[in-house]
């Protein structure tokens, strides 16, 4: 999967660009753990290089000799028609792009990052995939534009200062937003964006927007399920025909069960896996599923001595995650990703299926309403922002963070004003969440393996957006339950972690969903009691909650972070964000086990490591 670097400097010679380009290339290779290539692509005012990994599908550089044009591709590119050979489709894309420009992108899909140099007009185009899953970053210093699949490399090269508001947002959400990064002068390409650079212009185009097909919403349920089955099979045939055996993520829920069901149906070789302790409910159910279905299966776990070996992985998580993700959590993911990649290079995940199940940003709506306005406050409170220990922060910028996030969501919604409110929330989720969650993990893992999310491709995203709202009520999941039942009844009849099977809920099988009913009663009771009395009450808990005690893994890294001054306020690059005494007290309480700050300290560590690695100052 790997990545690339490129540099554009107007009216320059190759010699003018060489030093800065080499620095950018070496930093990107260092941060992403990739080898520096021997071949570079050179154009008028620009230079680029492709960094390949063992899992790379599109290797090297594609040239168009007649015009002197060239193309570099990272990730997975899919031709919607014609030849899908990994090299031939790049040759076709380059040739046709020189004629049709941005319009040619309609004929392609995938999770990719592209750099195309047009030798006829002397332009350099940087292109993100339709969902923005594969991360591309750019920054400017003087008359130079630096492009890389490493945010830290660009931050170092342009000598960017920290972005205080985005860091405040990261501490509250665990993510930046939109094109923001932790650095003021480093930007991430938004989904479906094309940036065209010439000596006198820096132009941005959005080349694709999701489309809602009203005809799909008017279908009867059985007809829609049949059409979905046909479309998914067509997409799987197109995407997986050139792949060999793959890993298939399989938990105890719905989404990975759907993606894996279609792998089996299409005869695509796979080994299903679940990450976690052997007694975890996800692992137990995924093991049952594979035993019942006769699928290859592996339970993958972290090493027993993870508390002792985790520390070097934090740096890898920072470099590969680009400051988009909590390094403590990402370290575990990358360790497992590396282990998988030693056996099979391609990984299939279930992202995107959840949008077929329910309205994620409108999940509190159990029944369709005629509301015409999006409730941004509810989305921010219930789906994006979570409480943090505010006494640790030097200044309370909660209002600024909320305003910035609301403006970001409003900007997304502005392009879809003609849609109903639930469709608008779906589209906001698509444009906000995909790049920052599934995309952040996909990009981080790209040094080890190539990740495919078939339900995050244009045709299947459009189909999910077009489904009737009443089929996507939370917990009912009418459409996906029917899709699973029709696709494989024995598979659908196996229980899930949330209680009950993935069959449609009917009077005749209601008894199978008693665990789900108990869960919902308990969930809503706790939520109501917490809102009124400020404390939790569980109706069905039969044993007392275990004593709060931080695991050895957490204590180990907290002590390491303190000894290396990452969490020692007086020595932190980011100390201006915090009340030093209260942060020190929180860390001590966390180690002692008297308080649980959730992911907050993980995020504090992530920010500090990112600023220290790039020498970024906070103003």
């Amino acid at each position: 999967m790997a990545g690339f670097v490129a540099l554009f400097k107007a009216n320059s010679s190759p010699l003018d660009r060489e030093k800065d380009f080499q620095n950018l290339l070496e930093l990107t290779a260092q941060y992403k753990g990739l080898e520096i290539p021997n071949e570079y692509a050179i154009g008028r005012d620009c230079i680029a290089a492709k960094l390949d990994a063992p899992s790379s599908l599109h290797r090297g550089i594609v040239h168009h000799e007649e015009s002197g044009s060239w193309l570099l591709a990272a990730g997975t590119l899919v031709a919607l028609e014609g030849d899908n050979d990994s090299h031939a489709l790049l040759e076709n894309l380059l040739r046709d792009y020189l004629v049709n420009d941005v319009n040619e992108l309609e004929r392609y899909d995938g999770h990719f990052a592209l750099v195309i140099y047009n030798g006829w007009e002397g332009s350099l185009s940087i292109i993100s995939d339709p969902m923005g899953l594969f991360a591309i970053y750019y920054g400017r210093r003087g008359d130079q534009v630096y492009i890389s699949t490493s945010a830290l490399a660009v931050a170092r090269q342009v000598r960017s200062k920290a972005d205080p508001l985005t860091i405040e947002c990261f501490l509250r959400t665990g993510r930046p937003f939109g094109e923001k990064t932790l650095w003021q002068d480093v930007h991430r390409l938004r989904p479906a964006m094309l940036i065209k650079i010439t000596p006198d212009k820096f132009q941005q185009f959005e080349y694709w927007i999701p489309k809602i097909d009203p005809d799909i919403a008017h279908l009867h349920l059985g007809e829609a399920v049949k059409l979905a089955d046909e479309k998914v099979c067509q997409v799987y045939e197109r995407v997986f025909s050139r792949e060999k055996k793959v890993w298939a993520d399989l938990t105890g829920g719905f989404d990975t069960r759907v993606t894996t069901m279609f792998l089996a149906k299409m005869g695509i070789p796979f080994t299903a896996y679940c990450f976690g302790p052997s007694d975890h409910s996800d692992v137990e159910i995924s093991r049952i599923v594979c035993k019942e279905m006769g699928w290859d299966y592996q339970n993958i776990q972290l090493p027993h001595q993870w508390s002792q070996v985790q520390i070097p992985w934090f740096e890898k998580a920072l470099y590969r995650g680009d400051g988009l993700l909590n390094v403590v959590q990402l370290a575990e993911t990358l360790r497992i990703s590396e282990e998988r990649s030693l056996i099979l290079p391609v990984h299939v995940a279930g992202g995107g299926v959840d949008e077929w199940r329910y309205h994620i940003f409108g999940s509190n709506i159990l029944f369709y309403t005629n509301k015409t306005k999006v409730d941004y406050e509810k989305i921010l409170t219930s789906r994006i922002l979570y409480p943090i220990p505010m006494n640790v922060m030097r200044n309370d910028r909660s209002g600024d963070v909320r305003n910035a996030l609301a403006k970001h969501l409003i900007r997304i919604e502005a392009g879809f004003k003609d849609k109903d409110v639930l469709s608008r929330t779906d589209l906001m989720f698509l444009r906000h969440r995909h790049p920052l969650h599934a995309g952040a993990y996909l990009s981080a893992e790209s040094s080890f393996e190539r990740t495919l999310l078939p339900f995050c491709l244009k045709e299947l995203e459009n189909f999910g957006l077009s489904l009737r709202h009443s089929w996507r009520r939370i917990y009912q999941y009418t459409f996906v339950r029917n899709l699973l039942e029709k696709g494989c009844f024995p598979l659908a009849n196996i229980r899930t972690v949330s209680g009950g099977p993935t069959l449609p809920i009917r009077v005749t099988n209601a008894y199978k969903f008693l665990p789900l009913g108990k869960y919902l009663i308990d969930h809503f009771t706790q939520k109501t009691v917490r809102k009124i009395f400020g404390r939790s009450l569980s109706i069905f808990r039969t044993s007392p909650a275990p004593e709060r005690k931080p695991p050895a893994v957490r204590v180990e890294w907290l002590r390491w972070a303190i000894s290396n001054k990452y969490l020692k306020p007086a020595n932190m690059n980011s100390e201006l964000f915090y009340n030093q005494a209260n942060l020190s007290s929180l860390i001590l309480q966390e180690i002692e086990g008297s308080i649980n700050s959730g992911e907050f300290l993980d995020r504090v560590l992530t920010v500090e490591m990112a600023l220290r690695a790039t020498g970024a100052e906070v103003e």
Side-chain angles (χ1 to χ4, degrees), residues 109-151:
D109 201 355
H111 321 314
F112 58 78
L114 295 176
V115 178
I116 301 178
Y117 172 68
N118 185 329
W120 281 326
E121 63 181 29
S123 66
L124 187 71
S125 296
I126 316 300
I127 305 166
S128 64
D129 65 68
M131 305 301 153
L133 295 178
F134 202 107
I136 314 170
Y137 305 94
Y138 69 92
R140 302 193 213 187
R141 191 179 76 205
D143 56 355
Q144 296 189 121
V145 182
Y146 299 88
I147 302 109
S148 173
T149 46
S150 168

Short mmCIF file of all heavy atoms in Angstrom, two decimals, residues 109-151:
data_model
loop_
_atom_site.label_atom_id
_atom_site.label_comp_id
_atom_site.label_asym_id
_atom_site.label_seq_id
_atom_site.Cartn_x
_atom_site.Cartn_y
_atom_site.Cartn_z
N ASP A 109 -12.67 3.85 -8.66
CA ASP A 109 -13.06 3.81 -7.26
C ASP A 109 -11.91 3.18 -6.47
O ASP A 109 -10.90 2.80 -7.04
CB ASP A 109 -14.36 3.01 -7.09
CG ASP A 109 -15.09 3.33 -5.81
OD1 ASP A 109 -14.55 4.11 -4.99
OD2 ASP A 109 -16.19 2.80 -5.60
N GLY A 110 -12.10 3.08 -5.17
CA GLY A 110 -11.09 2.43 -4.34
C GLY A 110 -10.69 3.27 -3.15
O GLY A 110 -11.30 4.28 -2.83
N HIS A 111 -9.63 2.82 -2.49
CA HIS A 111 -9.05 3.54 -1.35
C HIS A 111 -7.62 3.89 -1.77
O HIS A 111 -6.73 3.04 -1.69
CB HIS A 111 -9.02 2.67 -0.09
CG HIS A 111 -10.23 1.81 0.09
ND1 HIS A 111 -11.51 2.30 -0.07
CD2 HIS A 111 -10.37 0.49 0.41
CE1 HIS A 111 -12.37 1.31 0.15
NE2 HIS A 111 -11.71 0.22 0.43
N PHE A 112 -7.42 5.09 -2.23
CA PHE A 112 -6.16 5.38 -2.91
C PHE A 112 -5.71 6.83 -2.72
O PHE A 112 -6.47 7.69 -2.26
CB PHE A 112 -6.29 5.11 -4.41
CG PHE A 112 -7.39 5.91 -5.08
CD1 PHE A 112 -7.21 7.25 -5.42
CD2 PHE A 112 -8.61 5.32 -5.39
CE1 PHE A 112 -8.21 7.99 -6.03
CE2 PHE A 112 -9.63 6.06 -6.01
CZ PHE A 112 -9.42 7.39 -6.33
N ALA A 113 -4.45 7.05 -3.10
CA ALA A 113 -3.88 8.40 -3.21
C ALA A 113 -3.14 8.44 -4.54
O ALA A 113 -2.38 7.53 -4.87
CB ALA A 113 -2.91 8.64 -2.06
N LEU A 114 -3.38 9.50 -5.30
CA LEU A 114 -2.80 9.61 -6.64
C LEU A 114 -2.01 10.91 -6.79
O LEU A 114 -2.40 11.95 -6.25
CB LEU A 114 -3.88 9.60 -7.72
CG LEU A 114 -4.72 8.34 -7.92
CD1 LEU A 114 -5.80 8.62 -8.96
CD2 LEU A 114 -3.85 7.18 -8.34
N VAL A 115 -0.92 10.82 -7.56
CA VAL A 115 -0.21 12.00 -8.04
C VAL A 115 -0.09 11.84 -9.55
O VAL A 115 0.41 10.83 -10.03
CB VAL A 115 1.20 12.12 -7.44
CG1 VAL A 115 1.91 13.35 -8.02
CG2 VAL A 115 1.14 12.24 -5.93
N ILE A 116 -0.59 12.82 -10.29
CA ILE A 116 -0.52 12.78 -11.76
C ILE A 116 0.13 14.06 -12.27
O ILE A 116 -0.33 15.17 -11.96
CB ILE A 116 -1.92 12.62 -12.39
CG1 ILE A 116 -2.59 11.34 -11.89
CG2 ILE A 116 -1.81 12.60 -13.91
CD1 ILE A 116 -4.01 11.13 -12.45
N TYR A 117 1.18 13.89 -13.05
CA TYR A 117 1.82 15.03 -13.71
C TYR A 117 1.41 15.05 -15.17
O TYR A 117 1.55 14.05 -15.89
CB TYR A 117 3.34 14.93 -13.60
CG TYR A 117 4.06 15.97 -14.44
CD1 TYR A 117 3.99 17.32 -14.10
CD2 TYR A 117 4.79 15.61 -15.58
CE1 TYR A 117 4.63 18.29 -14.86
CE2 TYR A 117 5.44 16.57 -16.34
CZ TYR A 117 5.34 17.90 -15.99
OH TYR A 117 5.96 18.86 -16.75
N ASN A 118 0.84 16.17 -15.61
CA ASN A 118 0.44 16.36 -17.00
C ASN A 118 1.55 17.14 -17.71
O ASN A 118 1.71 18.34 -17.51
CB ASN A 118 -0.88 17.14 -17.05
CG ASN A 118 -1.43 17.28 -18.47
OD1 ASN A 118 -0.66 17.35 -19.43
ND2 ASN A 118 -2.75 17.33 -18.59
N GLY A 119 2.32 16.42 -18.53
CA GLY A 119 3.45 17.03 -19.20
C GLY A 119 3.06 18.05 -20.25
O GLY A 119 3.85 18.96 -20.56
N TRP A 120 1.87 17.91 -20.82
CA TRP A 120 1.43 18.86 -21.83
C TRP A 120 1.16 20.24 -21.24
O TRP A 120 1.47 21.26 -21.85
CB TRP A 120 0.19 18.33 -22.54
CG TRP A 120 0.50 17.29 -23.58
CD1 TRP A 120 1.60 17.24 -24.38
CD2 TRP A 120 -0.30 16.16 -23.92
NE1 TRP A 120 1.55 16.15 -25.21
CE2 TRP A 120 0.38 15.45 -24.95
CE3 TRP A 120 -1.51 15.65 -23.45
CZ2 TRP A 120 -0.11 14.31 -25.52
CZ3 TRP A 120 -2.01 14.49 -24.04
CH2 TRP A 120 -1.31 13.83 -25.05
N GLU A 121 0.56 20.28 -20.04
CA GLU A 121 0.24 21.58 -19.46
C GLU A 121 1.12 21.94 -18.27
O GLU A 121 0.99 23.02 -17.69
CB GLU A 121 -1.24 21.63 -19.04
CG GLU A 121 -1.64 20.63 -17.97
CD GLU A 121 -3.13 20.72 -17.62
OE1 GLU A 121 -3.92 21.08 -18.50
OE2 GLU A 121 -3.47 20.42 -16.46
N GLY A 122 2.01 21.03 -17.87
CA GLY A 122 2.92 21.33 -16.77
C GLY A 122 2.23 21.44 -15.43
O GLY A 122 2.66 22.21 -14.57
N SER A 123 1.17 20.65 -15.21
CA SER A 123 0.43 20.70 -13.94
C SER A 123 0.68 19.43 -13.13
O SER A 123 0.93 18.36 -13.68
CB SER A 123 -1.07 20.85 -14.21
OG SER A 123 -1.59 19.69 -14.84
N LEU A 124 0.59 19.58 -11.81
CA LEU A 124 0.70 18.45 -10.89
C LEU A 124 -0.63 18.32 -10.16
O LEU A 124 -1.09 19.27 -9.52
CB LEU A 124 1.83 18.67 -9.90
CG LEU A 124 2.15 17.50 -8.98
CD1 LEU A 124 2.82 16.38 -9.77
CD2 LEU A 124 3.05 17.93 -7.82
N SER A 125 -1.27 17.14 -10.24
CA SER A 125 -2.56 16.90 -9.59
C SER A 125 -2.40 15.91 -8.46
O SER A 125 -1.77 14.86 -8.63
CB SER A 125 -3.58 16.36 -10.60
OG SER A 125 -3.86 17.31 -11.60
N ILE A 126 -2.97 16.25 -7.32
CA ILE A 126 -2.99 15.38 -6.14
C ILE A 126 -4.44 14.99 -5.90
O ILE A 126 -5.31 15.87 -5.79
CB ILE A 126 -2.43 16.10 -4.89
CG1 ILE A 126 -1.16 16.87 -5.22
CG2 ILE A 126 -2.21 15.11 -3.76
CD1 ILE A 126 -0.03 16.04 -5.74
N ILE A 127 -4.72 13.69 -5.80
CA ILE A 127 -6.11 13.23 -5.81
C ILE A 127 -6.35 12.26 -4.66
O ILE A 127 -5.64 11.26 -4.50
CB ILE A 127 -6.45 12.54 -7.15
CG1 ILE A 127 -6.14 13.48 -8.32
CG2 ILE A 127 -7.90 12.09 -7.18
CD1 ILE A 127 -6.12 12.81 -9.67
N SER A 128 -7.38 12.53 -3.85
CA SER A 128 -7.79 11.62 -2.79
C SER A 128 -8.93 10.74 -3.27
O SER A 128 -9.63 11.07 -4.24
CB SER A 128 -8.23 12.40 -1.55
OG SER A 128 -9.38 13.19 -1.83
N ASP A 129 -9.15 9.61 -2.60
CA ASP A 129 -10.21 8.71 -3.02
C ASP A 129 -11.59 9.25 -2.62
O ASP A 129 -11.68 10.19 -1.82
CB ASP A 129 -9.98 7.30 -2.46
CG ASP A 129 -10.06 7.25 -0.94
OD1 ASP A 129 -11.15 7.44 -0.39
OD2 ASP A 129 -9.02 7.01 -0.30
N PRO A 130 -12.68 8.70 -3.16
CA PRO A 130 -14.02 9.27 -2.93
C PRO A 130 -14.41 9.39 -1.46
O PRO A 130 -15.14 10.32 -1.10
CB PRO A 130 -14.93 8.29 -3.67
CG PRO A 130 -14.09 7.74 -4.77
CD PRO A 130 -12.72 7.63 -4.19
N MET A 131 -13.95 8.47 -0.60
CA MET A 131 -14.28 8.54 0.82
C MET A 131 -13.19 9.20 1.65
O MET A 131 -13.34 9.38 2.86
CB MET A 131 -14.54 7.13 1.38
CG MET A 131 -15.58 6.35 0.64
SD MET A 131 -17.18 7.16 0.62
CE MET A 131 -17.84 6.48 -0.90
N GLY A 132 -12.07 9.54 1.02
CA GLY A 132 -10.97 10.16 1.75
C GLY A 132 -10.30 9.22 2.73
O GLY A 132 -9.77 9.64 3.76
N LEU A 133 -10.28 7.92 2.40
CA LEU A 133 -9.74 6.94 3.34
C LEU A 133 -8.22 6.92 3.37
O LEU A 133 -7.62 6.73 4.42
CB LEU A 133 -10.27 5.54 3.00
CG LEU A 133 -11.78 5.35 3.17
CD1 LEU A 133 -12.20 3.96 2.75
CD2 LEU A 133 -12.21 5.61 4.61
N PHE A 134 -7.59 7.08 2.21
CA PHE A 134 -6.12 7.06 2.19
C PHE A 134 -5.61 8.49 2.36
O PHE A 134 -5.87 9.35 1.53
CB PHE A 134 -5.59 6.46 0.88
CG PHE A 134 -4.19 5.93 1.00
CD1 PHE A 134 -3.95 4.57 1.02
CD2 PHE A 134 -3.12 6.79 1.12
CE1 PHE A 134 -2.65 4.08 1.16
CE2 PHE A 134 -1.83 6.32 1.26
CZ PHE A 134 -1.58 4.96 1.27
N ALA A 135 -4.88 8.73 3.43
CA ALA A 135 -4.51 10.09 3.82
C ALA A 135 -3.39 10.65 2.94
O ALA A 135 -2.38 9.99 2.69
CB ALA A 135 -4.08 10.12 5.28
N ILE A 136 -3.59 11.90 2.49
CA ILE A 136 -2.58 12.68 1.79
C ILE A 136 -2.48 14.04 2.48
O ILE A 136 -3.51 14.65 2.79
CB ILE A 136 -2.95 12.91 0.31
CG1 ILE A 136 -3.44 11.62 -0.35
CG2 ILE A 136 -1.76 13.49 -0.46
CD1 ILE A 136 -4.03 11.86 -1.74
N TYR A 137 -1.26 14.51 2.67
CA TYR A 137 -1.05 15.78 3.36
C TYR A 137 -0.24 16.72 2.48
O TYR A 137 0.59 16.29 1.67
CB TYR A 137 -0.30 15.56 4.68
CG TYR A 137 -0.96 14.57 5.59
CD1 TYR A 137 -0.59 13.22 5.56
CD2 TYR A 137 -1.97 14.95 6.46
CE1 TYR A 137 -1.20 12.30 6.38
CE2 TYR A 137 -2.59 14.03 7.29
CZ TYR A 137 -2.21 12.70 7.24
OH TYR A 137 -2.82 11.78 8.05
N TYR A 138 -0.49 18.01 2.66
CA TYR A 138 0.30 18.99 1.94
C TYR A 138 0.52 20.23 2.81
O TYR A 138 -0.24 20.50 3.75
CB TYR A 138 -0.36 19.38 0.61
CG TYR A 138 -1.64 20.18 0.76
CD1 TYR A 138 -1.61 21.57 0.77
CD2 TYR A 138 -2.87 19.55 0.90
CE1 TYR A 138 -2.78 22.31 0.91
CE2 TYR A 138 -4.04 20.27 1.04
CZ TYR A 138 -3.99 21.66 1.04
OH TYR A 138 -5.15 22.38 1.19
N GLY A 139 1.58 20.94 2.51
CA GLY A 139 1.88 22.18 3.20
C GLY A 139 2.73 23.05 2.30
O GLY A 139 3.36 22.57 1.34
N ARG A 140 2.76 24.33 2.59
CA ARG A 140 3.53 25.27 1.76
C ARG A 140 4.55 26.02 2.62
O ARG A 140 4.30 26.32 3.78
CB ARG A 140 2.60 26.29 1.12
CG ARG A 140 1.51 25.70 0.26
CD ARG A 140 0.86 26.80 -0.56
NE ARG A 140 -0.54 26.56 -0.79
CZ ARG A 140 -1.30 27.30 -1.59
NH1 ARG A 140 -0.79 28.34 -2.21
NH2 ARG A 140 -2.57 27.02 -1.75
N ARG A 141 5.69 26.27 1.99
CA ARG A 141 6.68 27.16 2.59
C ARG A 141 7.27 27.98 1.45
O ARG A 141 7.88 27.45 0.52
CB ARG A 141 7.79 26.37 3.29
CG ARG A 141 8.67 27.29 4.15
CD ARG A 141 9.76 26.51 4.86
NE ARG A 141 10.82 26.15 3.93
CZ ARG A 141 11.64 25.12 4.10
NH1 ARG A 141 11.47 24.31 5.13
NH2 ARG A 141 12.60 24.87 3.23
N GLY A 142 7.01 29.27 1.51
CA GLY A 142 7.43 30.13 0.41
C GLY A 142 6.71 29.74 -0.87
O GLY A 142 5.49 29.61 -0.89
N ASP A 143 7.47 29.52 -1.93
CA ASP A 143 6.86 29.17 -3.22
C ASP A 143 6.87 27.66 -3.47
O ASP A 143 6.67 27.22 -4.60
CB ASP A 143 7.58 29.89 -4.37
CG ASP A 143 9.08 29.59 -4.39
OD1 ASP A 143 9.56 28.90 -3.46
OD2 ASP A 143 9.75 30.05 -5.33
N GLN A 144 7.11 26.89 -2.42
CA GLN A 144 7.16 25.43 -2.57
C GLN A 144 5.93 24.78 -1.93
O GLN A 144 5.46 25.21 -0.87
CB GLN A 144 8.42 24.87 -1.94
CG GLN A 144 9.69 25.35 -2.61
CD GLN A 144 10.92 24.60 -2.11
OE1 GLN A 144 11.62 23.97 -2.86
NE2 GLN A 144 11.19 24.70 -0.82
N VAL A 145 5.43 23.73 -2.59
CA VAL A 145 4.33 22.93 -2.04
C VAL A 145 4.88 21.53 -1.78
O VAL A 145 5.42 20.88 -2.69
CB VAL A 145 3.14 22.84 -3.02
CG1 VAL A 145 2.00 22.04 -2.38
CG2 VAL A 145 2.67 24.24 -3.41
N TYR A 146 4.75 21.08 -0.55
CA TYR A 146 5.24 19.76 -0.16
C TYR A 146 4.04 18.82 -0.02
O TYR A 146 3.07 19.16 0.66
CB TYR A 146 5.97 19.83 1.18
CG TYR A 146 7.18 20.73 1.18
CD1 TYR A 146 7.07 22.09 1.46
CD2 TYR A 146 8.44 20.22 0.88
CE1 TYR A 146 8.18 22.91 1.47
CE2 TYR A 146 9.57 21.04 0.89
CZ TYR A 146 9.43 22.39 1.18
OH TYR A 146 10.53 23.20 1.18
N ILE A 147 4.13 17.66 -0.63
CA ILE A 147 3.05 16.67 -0.57
C ILE A 147 3.63 15.35 -0.10
O ILE A 147 4.69 14.92 -0.56
CB ILE A 147 2.39 16.47 -1.95
CG1 ILE A 147 1.84 17.80 -2.49
CG2 ILE A 147 1.28 15.44 -1.86
CD1 ILE A 147 2.61 18.34 -3.65
N SER A 148 2.94 14.70 0.85
CA SER A 148 3.43 13.42 1.37
C SER A 148 2.28 12.66 2.00
O SER A 148 1.26 13.23 2.39
CB SER A 148 4.53 13.67 2.41
OG SER A 148 4.91 12.47 3.04
N THR A 149 2.46 11.35 2.11
CA THR A 149 1.52 10.54 2.87
C THR A 149 1.90 10.50 4.34
O THR A 149 1.34 9.72 5.11
CB THR A 149 1.44 9.12 2.28
OG1 THR A 149 2.76 8.63 2.03
CG2 THR A 149 0.67 9.13 0.96
N SER A 150 2.84 11.36 4.75
CA SER A 150 3.21 11.52 6.16
C SER A 150 2.98 12.96 6.59
O SER A 150 3.62 13.88 6.07
CB SER A 150 4.68 11.14 6.38
OG SER A 150 5.11 11.56 7.67
N ALA A 151 2.10 13.16 7.55
CA ALA A 151 1.85 14.50 8.07
C ALA A 151 3.06 15.04 8.82
O ALA A 151 3.38 16.23 8.75
CB ALA A 151 0.63 14.48 9.00
#
